[in-house]
Amino acid sequence: MCKKFMWYSYSWLHEQHEVFILRQQTEGKTGNMLKQKFYRKLIMTCLCTSIGLAAFAFGPSNQVSAATSEATEIISTGKDLLGTPYRYGSSGTTSSFDCSSFVQYVFNQSDISLPRTSSDQAEIGEKVGKSSLSKGDLMFFNTNGKSISHVAIYIGDNKMLHAASGKGVTITDIDNVYWKSKFVTARRVL
């Protein structure tokens, strides 16, 4: 498609140049005015071609998809657990959670099976850029200085739902200075 577009652009330019030369010969003018018109057309054509090629090269913009009913259900289940205490290593009963057991439990309520640890959860699904997050995507953080050690569920409006030490299940802004500096990757599992 791109080669075809370039060929048509080249053909048009070549045709315009021939028309310019014929006019110059038949009208017997010095051609200054015709030269100016030709070069204006040439510049506009090159500009339009460049814009067209850039559109092909960069493709469609990354549109954030709307929340699926599955994502909405997962977020609703997670929000029902707001305030549940944090306990490292918790098995995921509704009396307490650590970050990964919370995510595992909430997704399991929608019949989506996830691994137990945040580092294992970070290995599944499709990688997503932070600017392309959709509701229900998993966000991963390095809080121990070594590797991925925290997971949260993106809930839209730059917010995440997670089990945080000292706070339990909570909602936090993803642009919070602490979390922003700890962000590693995001995954789409829905």
Side-chain angles (χ1 to χ4, degrees):
M1 176 82 174
C2 192
K3 285 183 182 179
K4 198 181 247 186
F5 179 74
M6 288 186 66
W7 170 251
Y8 287 127
S9 295
Y10 171 77
S11 297
W12 184 85
L13 277 173
H14 185 70
E15 182 183 307
Q16 291 298 313
H17 187 261
E18 286 181 9
V19 167
F20 165 71
I21 290 172
L22 281 173
R23 273 190 188 162
Q24 207 174 19
Q25 290 172 349
T26 57
E27 293 178 12
K29 294 185 177 179
T30 59
N32 282 340
M33 191 177 220
L34 289 174
K35 273 186 186 177
Q36 286 177 344
K37 282 185 178 180
F38 173 74
Y39 286 118
R40 260 190 236 131
K41 282 185 179 181
L42 177 66
I43 289 169
M44 289 304 293
T45 302
C46 290
L47 182 61
C48 290
T49 303
S50 298
I51 291 169
L53 290 174
F56 283 120
F58 295 111
S61 64
N62 289 335
Q63 295 285 326
V64 177
S65 62
T68 63
S69 58
E70 232 172 7
T72 304
E73 183 182 326
I74 286 167
I75 292 166
S76 177
T77 300
K79 284 182 174 180
D80 288 344
L81 298 166
L82 283 169
T84 303
Y86 177 91
R87 189 171 62 112
Y88 180 77
S90 176
S91 62
T93 64
T94 56
S95 61
S96 66
F97 294 103
D98 66 10
C99 64
S100 56
S101 67
F102 169 70
V103 169
Q104 184 186 44
Y105 176 85
V106 170
F107 274 75
N108 194 44
Q109 299 309 298
S110 293
D111 296 321
I112 299 169
S113 180
L114 294 179
R116 170 63 185 89
T117 66
S118 57
S119 58
D120 288 341
Q121 290 171 356
E123 298 297 318
I124 63 169
E126 175 189 340
K127 187 173 183 175
V128 179
K130 193 173 182 183
S131 62
S132 299
L133 288 169
S134 286
K135 291 180 178 182
D137 288 344
L138 299 181
M139 300 180 69
F140 296 92
F141 303 86
N142 177 346
T143 58
N144 64 9
K146 298 175 187 172
S147 61
I148 290 174
S149 51
H150 189 75
V151 61
I153 303 167
Y154 183 71
I155 61 171
D157 297 324
N158 281 346
K159 305 267 187 240
M160 63 183 185
L161 179 63
H162 60 131
S165 59
K167 293 184 177 182
V169 176
T170 188
I171 294 174
T172 306
D173 192 303
I174 65 172
D175 289 325
N176 168 293
V177 175
Y178 176 79
W179 292 109
K180 192 174 188 176
S181 69
K182 303 295 183 182
F183 178 77
V184 176
T185 189
R187 295 283 178 165
R188 185 161 294 151
V189 296
L190 297 177

